[in-house]
Amino acid sequence: MISRKDFLAKSLKASAGALLTGATGGLLKGRPSDIITILYTNDTHARLDPFPDNATQFAGLGGIARRANIIKKIRRNQPNVLLLDAGDVFQGTPWFDVYGGEVDLKLMSEMKYDAMAVGNHEFDHGLDGFAESANKAKFPILAANYNVAGTLLNEFVRRFIVKEIGGYRIGIFGLGIQLDGVVDKKLYGDVQYRDPEVWANGMVRSLRQYQGCDFIICLSHLGYKYDNARIDDVELASKVEGIDLIIGGHTHTFLDNPVAIQNPSGKNTLVTQMGHSGVRLGRIDLDISSGTEVNMSDRFYTIGKV
Amino acid sequence: MIKPVKALFLILLITACSTTEKVTEKSPVYTEGEIENAALTDDSKVAEMLESYRPHYQAEMGIVLTEIENPLIFEKPEGALGNIAADALRFRASRESRRLVHIGVIGEGSFRINLNEGPLTLGEVYEFMPYENHLVLLKLTGEQVLTLANQIAEQGGSPVSGIRFQLQDNRARGVIVNSEVVTPTKEYWVATSNWVADGGDNFPVLWSPKERIDFDVSIRQLYVDHFRNRKMTEPFKDGRIRE
């Protein structure tokens, strides 16, 4: 992972190089910025208000309105922003008891989230509770390995989306955790969990070959790493080639920087996760100016603290 | 010879930049410091939307259950809030199962807030125990109870009820249950949440009990009931885990 400083220095060199090799003002005209900024959260758990002062951890941190403020300011600077969440938006404060996930999804729509993954707690009020809240979301909810056919979720849950930014195509797909043993069967009903590795491979093939994607992001609610046999983001990254970035959740892991895992093609897949409760907002910038190599830089912001 | 080249480069750079500015992006509106500072202030639109939901939220969650006399907090090895949390589990399990429940145990990790002095609302109890877990009874052998005491000791203490011991070098010494020394071959009932029984809060000995009974009693509701039945909740410690 290159540091932000290196990245800025490199991107500066790249643009100077372009000028010297005879790029005209014409080429630059109308061309959007060469930076794609990915902002992300996971496991926000209905933490709409900041943690109260008597919280056992993170007192005073978080808060969706403050997250919205920083996102809005970043959007003023960066024309190309993708805003993503890796699931478990629901459950964790009394807001969920009163409103289900409705308030969260409405406010996330106002903030222009582009997509979220399905977390296990999204099922906490059953499929009808999930569907009723999902109805308020103006962005897609992703889970490639959940078969939702014939359930109330069919209308809301999609396998993937493709975002085109300045001719650069970013494919985003979701993966959900095994439901059996994690979610009460009564709550997930007829939704079927399928092998994440198999479906990730299928998604990569489809996104690269048929959708012409240049960059692939997996929004995963599998969890960062386990000691047992359950599949996690690290294992997924090492077994599936073609994913550039895994934005993870479930295990509430605070990773200060993304972790690079070598995938079967010998390239690196980055795995990242931003703890929980909206205490942090993650940011990864992709510099796509070279056309061949993507330079990345990363940082995070702590909400409620500078 | 070098100077003109440099100058030419600068001109190109300036021209290019000014062209870009006119046509597409301006230079950043905010400095990185200004962006970081934005995490301290609310976005007015989102804050306003959230506030529009608050009156109904308050009406449902602002119900006062009890008065807290002095702040109740989790502490190690023993804290007043942990004592209440574990006692409530054991008492309720005893009532539900109509038998002697020897021990109550749960990890501090199951809870999210300490309780402030003053009126305690329903919303605060829901914050205190945020997740939908249910009450579980586990049957352990005396030997497993001693292992449990050591697993609690390794964490420097945790909320417990019905069990007393002394901490020494991360081990439990002089373990007493129901005012008696633990007999390794006897059986004991332990109350906890399904989350803990299924692997949460890290008490591995609870993952292989002799027997397990799940009750249709929500842990959150259990705490709501527990606090609601008290006019006043005072903190107390009785040295159940001591150094």
Side-chain angles (χ1 to χ4, degrees):
Chain A
M1 199 62 226
I2 62 170
S3 75
R4 179 156 188 88
K5 217 162 115 193
D6 285 347
F7 164 56
L8 289 172
K10 267 183 198 163
S11 55
L12 201 65
K13 252 184 261 158
S15 54
L19 286 170
L20 290 172
T21 48
T24 64
L27 193 68
L28 290 171
K29 224 181 270 178
R31 175 175 163 180
S33 157
D34 286 327
I35 307 290
I36 295 169
T37 298
I38 301 162
L39 301 177
Y40 60 98
T41 48
N42 57 276
D43 298 271
T44 52
H45 283 298
R47 183 59 56 189
L48 297 168
D49 291 317
F51 274 101
D53 291 341
N54 53 339
T56 53
Q57 260 188 312
F58 309 118
L61 300 185
I64 196 167
R66 298 197 292 204
R67 191 191 336 147
N69 194 42
I70 189 167
I71 290 167
K72 204 176 252 182
K73 295 239 165 15
I74 293 169
R75 284 189 193 278
R76 290 285 301 279
N77 273 8
Q78 310 291 132
N80 306 321
V81 171
L82 274 177
L83 179 56
L84 304 169
D85 185 277
D88 272 6
V89 166
F90 291 11
Q91 185 74 274
T93 74
W95 282 103
F96 184 69
D97 298 283
V98 180
Y99 288 106
E102 178 188 330
V103 183
D104 304 84
L105 296 182
K106 268 197 171 163
L107 301 191
M108 285 167 76
S109 300
E110 169 65 24
M111 289 153 80
K112 300 193 173 60
Y113 266 81
D114 291 289
M116 69 175 268
V118 178
N120 48 300
H121 282 290
E122 264 70 76
F123 295 97
D124 281 6
H125 281 182
L127 294 187
D128 40 358
F130 189 173
E132 201 181 317
S133 296
N135 206 15
K136 314 286 184 202
K138 290 183 181 145
F139 52 86
I141 299 172
L142 307 178
N145 65 324
Y146 284 165
N147 181 9
V148 296
T151 75
L152 288 169
L153 298 187
N154 201 33
E155 194 181 331
F156 307 104
V157 174
R158 288 161 64 177
R159 294 204 290 252
F160 67 86
I161 54 166
V162 176
K163 290 273 172 183
E164 186 164 326
I165 295 171
Y168 195 77
R169 287 170 72 80
I170 300 186
I172 305 164
F173 70 96
L175 288 179
I177 194 168
Q178 174 188 315
L179 294 167
D180 182 32
V182 177
V183 180
D184 193 330
K185 170 82 181 115
K186 289 197 294 284
L187 297 175
Y188 67 80
D190 291 331
V191 173
Q192 288 170 306
Y193 164 87
R194 302 178 292 196
D195 188 331
E197 189 189 333
V198 170
W199 281 83
N201 274 313
M203 284 296 107
V204 170
R205 207 176 314 122
S206 162
L207 289 167
R208 294 265 182 215
Q209 291 178 7
Y210 304 110
Q211 305 288 334
C213 289
D214 304 294
F215 193 89
I216 293 184
I217 300 172
C218 170
L219 285 181
S220 157
H221 202 77
L222 298 177
Y224 175 59
K225 198 166 178 10
Y226 302 113
D227 294 332
N228 57 31
R230 179 170 289 176
I231 187 161
D232 53 42
D233 291 339
V234 170
E235 189 184 344
L236 184 82
S238 72
K239 286 187 166 171
V240 177
E241 61 178 76
I243 303 174
D244 296 288
L245 172 65
I246 298 174
I247 296 175
H250 189 65
T251 44
H252 296 189
T253 311
F254 284 92
L255 293 175
D256 287 347
N257 298 100
V259 176
I261 310 283
Q262 198 178 65
N263 67 41
S265 73
K267 288 185 182 163
N268 280 338
T269 297
L270 292 183
V271 179
T272 183
Q273 195 176 142
M274 281 294 132
H276 62 93
S277 303
V279 164
R280 286 183 182 179
L281 173 72
R283 173 173 176 173
I284 291 177
D285 283 8
L286 313 179
D287 177 358
I288 54 168
S289 58
S290 84
T292 48
E293 276 294 302
V294 179
N295 283 321
M296 292 197 240
S297 71
D298 67 273
R299 67 157 300 169
F300 63 84
Y301 303 93
T302 302
I303 306 302
K305 203 174 93 184
V306 173
Chain B
M1 278 301 280
I2 291 164
K3 269 184 184 170
V5 176
K6 263 192 181 169
L8 178 66
F9 168 72
L10 269 177
I11 291 161
L12 271 170
L13 199 64
I14 290 160
T15 326
C17 286
S18 59
T19 317
T20 324
E21 270 189 28
K22 257 183 259 156
V23 182
T24 59
E25 304 321 311
K26 13 14 161 138
S27 48
V29 180
Y30 300 108
T31 64
E32 198 55 19
E34 284 170 329
I35 286 185
E36 286 168 4
N37 273 315
L40 300 176
T41 321
D42 283 353
D43 171 68
S44 53
K45 180 72 198 296
V46 168
E48 190 184 299
M49 287 172 76
L50 183 57
E51 287 317 305
S52 73
Y53 291 99
R54 202 178 297 278
H56 177 58
Y57 172 89
Q58 273 302 341
E60 291 214 2
M61 289 296 153
I63 300 162
V64 175
L65 301 178
T66 186
E67 260 328 287
I68 304 285
E69 183 128 302
N70 282 299
L72 288 171
I73 56 171
F74 287 106
E75 288 174 283
K76 281 186 187 295
E78 182 199 3
L81 190 49
N83 289 351
I84 291 177
D87 283 347
L89 284 176
R90 183 165 69 94
F91 299 162
R92 183 63 178 264
S94 188
R95 222 173 78 202
E96 295 290 332
S97 66
R98 297 173 187 280
R99 71 183 94 202
L100 171 66
V101 174
H102 304 85
I103 296 168
V105 64
I106 190 163
E108 282 172 26
S110 283
F111 304 95
R112 290 286 172 274
I113 60 169
N114 292 305
L115 303 182
N116 284 336
E117 196 175 331
L120 177 71
T121 63
L122 178 63
E124 282 172 294
V125 176
Y126 280 1
E127 282 245 23
F128 166 72
M129 164 47 76
Y131 297 113
E132 280 297 349
N133 297 313
H134 63 259
L135 183 64
V136 166
L137 253 189
L138 305 172
K139 191 197 270 178
L140 300 191
T141 64
E143 205 174 335
Q144 285 179 307
V145 167
L146 294 171
T147 306
L148 173 64
N150 279 323
Q151 289 174 355
I152 293 165
E154 275 166 35
Q155 301 186 19
S158 76
V160 295
S161 176
I163 185 169
R164 299 177 61 82
F165 58 84
Q166 193 180 0
L167 282 183
Q168 212 171 61
D169 303 323
N170 287 331
R171 304 283 292 172
R173 264 204 49 178
V175 182
I176 303 280
V177 172
N178 196 22
S179 309
E180 285 173 19
V181 174
V182 175
T183 312
T185 50
K186 253 183 76 179
E187 285 170 342
Y188 296 82
W189 286 104
V190 180
T192 191
S193 73
N194 67 307
W195 193 73
V196 172
D198 293 333
D201 289 343
N202 207 22
F203 304 109
V205 74
L206 300 181
W207 308 342
S208 43
K210 301 263 125 204
E211 200 181 321
R212 166 171 169 159
I213 308 171
D214 288 66
F215 294 95
D216 191 15
V217 173
S218 137
I219 297 280
R220 311 174 80 190
Q221 195 54 44
L222 178 157
Y223 286 120
V224 170
D225 296 344
H226 187 83
F227 284 111
R228 194 165 15 215
N229 291 333
R230 279 161 183 74
K231 266 238 148 44
M232 206 63 153
T233 300
E234 290 173 53
F236 71 95
K237 288 193 225 175
D238 53 18
R240 50 187 81 177
I241 303 179
R242 60 208 177 275
E243 293 186 297

